[in-house]
Amino acid sequence: MSDLPRKAVTRTAKLAALPLGIAGRATWGFGKRIVGESAELVGRELQQRTADQLFKVLGELKGGAMKFGQALSVFESALPEEVAGPYRAALTKLQEAAPPMPTRTVHAVLEERLGEGWHELFLEFEDKPAAAASIGQVHRGVWHDGREVAVKVQYPGAGEALLSDLNQLSRFSRLLGPLIPGMDIKPLITELKDRVSEELDYGLEAQAQQAHAEEFTDDTDVVVPQVVHQSDQVLVTEWMDGIPLSEIISDGTQEQRDRAGQLLARFLFSGPARTGLLHADPHPGNFRLLPGGPAGEDDWRLGVLDFGTVDRLPGGLPATIGESLRMTLDGEAEAVYELLCAEGFVKETIELDPDAVMDYLLPIIEPAQVEEFTFTRGWMRSQAARVADPRSPAYQLGKQLNLPPSYLLIHRVTLSTIGVLCQLGATVRLREELEEWLPGFVPEDPADGEEAVAQA
């Protein structure tokens, strides 16, 4: 394969092939139906061909195109099953694999960033990549001190390609929108663009990963590899084995699914509380199940990778989230509405019925209403359909709500994590994690405040 295509005209032409290809295949499908093939068979084949092209184009381009595909892949559980099937395999591929960068390019980057004697830093270095992602690929090696390591090498021109792709994809957002009902694609692409510079900076990524690695060093549930070495376009971290979450989704036992789901929810809420950082790229390719949990080798831990995109939350998740969630569960419609208005979720020019807002929120927070909840694709589809149907009161109300910029990434990460939980079909004690880690969810005991004042 050639190097990452960098010319905007080349990448634009490839991306333009997506909607044009969809139109062409629709014509092809119409022709097949004329000659007597059933609509169901033709439709299924048409969807499969579309999915194959989607992976081919996004995978080859890497950059923003592949980043967009990865972001979409966690939402496939919201699609109607007859549409989701063909897309599921193609989109899931983007979580674990993409066509590799040529060896000569990898060596050139390593020589430029680590020096001519870069080979001496390694006892072993595998030229064949172990994994490929949107802006870089990972090679397995052995560091000079004997540690097994993962060497992430950034694609030359990745930043330029990322911005070019996302600009182009935003032009196609209306065509791509039907892939995920109830989701506005354009803000997703805009938000991805806002994170480009951070994700390209391996120095920031190294800091975020090391902060997590140190915090979770002795944790029995979560494992984060230590950072070994970092320079521009190259990041070396400890190697981590384990079962990719995508394999658990496709072939895992129910016990593995439930354990993975519980730990994923725990990491989502405990990470910001413990590190002041929110891991903001929760697609299955960034997680592993490892043996050796609290109950021994037959138990499981969650391995977490890729800290290129994080939200910096020094005080943890905003207490407003926990407070509004708790008050919604308690049926305090007026108080919830006042809090949402104060935080900018309802613009000053809009006036809504607090009870209607409550009716909109309650189905969404159903997993927090019970001791344990089984996340399913069916539940996710019902939620997507409810907010996507123009005839639905939820659709009309949802259009009038606002998402403040400071909550954009938190919102996307939460939705993405719920999407993965639905792909897993996991039964999760979500309320337990909220009570433990989400500020504002458990009301403060007045006695605690009095005790703090007395000590002062």
Side-chain angles (χ1 to χ4, degrees), residues 99-390:
M101 182 169 31
T103 300
R104 67 178 184 279
T105 306
V106 176
H107 288 187
V109 173
L110 291 171
E111 184 173 323
E112 181 181 353
R113 299 303 177 186
L114 301 181
E116 290 186 7
W118 68 268
H119 276 290
E120 296 172 12
L121 295 172
F122 299 91
L123 297 178
E124 296 176 23
F125 181 86
E126 295 183 10
D127 286 334
K128 182 180 179 182
S134 53
I135 65 167
Q137 65 188 35
V138 178
H139 294 257
R140 190 167 187 168
V142 179
W143 196 240
H144 56 78
D145 62 5
R147 280 183 289 176
E148 284 194 81
V149 292
V151 185
K152 184 150 75 168
V153 182
Q154 194 173 115
Y155 304 125
E160 185 184 333
L162 213 60
L163 284 170
S164 171
D165 292 350
L166 292 171
N167 284 332
Q168 187 65 23
L169 281 165
S170 68
R171 296 189 191 114
F172 296 148
S173 58
R174 291 185 67 183
L175 284 163
L176 297 166
L179 284 173
I180 305 294
M183 183 180 186
D184 192 347
I185 296 294
K186 202 157 192 172
L188 171 63
I189 296 172
T190 300
E191 197 265 309
L192 289 173
K193 282 166 66 176
D194 290 343
R195 297 286 159 176
V196 166
S197 58
E198 284 194 21
E199 189 159 0
L200 291 166
D201 188 335
Y202 280 2
L204 287 175
E205 179 173 350
Q207 291 171 20
Q209 179 158 340
Q210 191 58 27
H212 280 84
E214 290 173 5
E215 173 60 36
F216 287 93
T217 294
D218 299 319
D219 198 279
T220 56
D221 294 318
V222 175
V223 182
V224 179
Q226 298 276 343
V227 174
V228 175
H229 181 82
Q230 179 270 319
S231 67
D232 287 349
Q233 294 185 303
V234 178
L235 177 61
V236 183
T237 63
E238 291 178 337
W239 180 265
M240 185 168 66
D241 284 310
I243 307 171
L245 209 59
S246 55
E247 291 184 18
I248 302 298
I249 288 171
S250 60
D251 302 310
T253 65
Q254 192 58 51
E255 182 184 8
Q256 289 173 323
R257 293 169 185 275
D258 292 344
R259 179 65 174 160
Q262 190 70 43
L263 294 181
L264 199 59
R266 184 166 302 164
F267 181 70
L268 168 65
F269 293 106
S270 70
R274 295 173 62 174
T275 67
L277 299 167
L278 173 67
H279 182 287
D281 196 7
H283 72 78
N286 287 339
F287 299 99
R288 304 282 185 271
L289 268 194
L290 296 85
E297 281 303 302
D298 293 334
D299 199 3
W300 299 96
R301 298 174 294 164
L302 184 73
V304 186
L305 302 168
D306 198 340
F307 291 81
T309 307
V310 298
D311 201 3
R312 286 164 178 79
L313 302 167
L317 290 165
T320 302
I321 297 175
E323 290 167 5
S324 58
L325 184 54
R326 167 173 51 84
M327 290 189 296
T328 303
L329 292 172
D330 290 343
E332 300 176 30
E334 293 286 348
V336 170
Y337 183 64
E338 287 177 13
L339 189 57
L340 293 179
C341 289
E343 285 293 307
F345 287 92
V346 182
K347 292 184 177 179
E348 292 181 4
T349 54
I350 300 288
E351 189 170 336
L352 300 173
D353 176 6
D355 289 324
V357 174
M358 183 73 73
D359 290 341
Y360 176 85
L361 293 174
L362 279 172
I364 300 171
I365 64 169
E366 186 182 356
Q369 294 175 282
V370 292
E371 188 174 330
E372 61 178 27
F373 183 82
T374 301
F375 290 86
T376 65
R377 286 188 166 96
W379 177 79
M380 185 80 162
R381 285 195 294 270
S382 70
Q383 294 300 319
R386 187 175 68 95
V387 299
D389 185 353

Side-chain angles (χ1 to χ4, degrees), residues 82-104:
E82 64 271 17
V83 177
Y87 282 96
R88 186 173 300 141
L91 285 173
T92 302
K93 281 182 187 178
L94 288 167
Q95 298 161 353
E96 287 291 338
M101 182 169 31
T103 300
R104 67 178 184 279

Side-chain angles (χ1 to χ4, degrees), residues 67-81:
K67 175 60 63 181
F68 172 73
Q70 288 175 332
L72 268 190
S73 68
V74 298
F75 294 110
E76 59 83 13
S77 51
L79 291 166
E81 184 58 33

Side-chain angles (χ1 to χ4, degrees), residues 23-84:
R25 278 187 302 281
T27 305
W28 167 86
F30 180 67
K32 295 203 78 171
R33 287 180 64 182
I34 286 176
V35 297
E37 293 197 26
S38 77
E40 183 182 355
L41 287 174
V42 172
R44 200 173 298 156
E45 192 174 351
L46 186 62
Q47 288 165 6
Q48 185 60 59
R49 286 174 175 241
T50 302
D52 289 344
Q53 189 203 13
L54 187 69
F55 171 66
K56 185 174 186 294
V57 172
L58 298 183
E60 283 182 356
L61 286 176
K62 302 183 173 76
M66 185 174 171
K67 175 60 63 181
F68 172 73
Q70 288 175 332
L72 268 190
S73 68
V74 298
F75 294 110
E76 59 83 13
S77 51
L79 291 166
E81 184 58 33
E82 64 271 17
V83 177

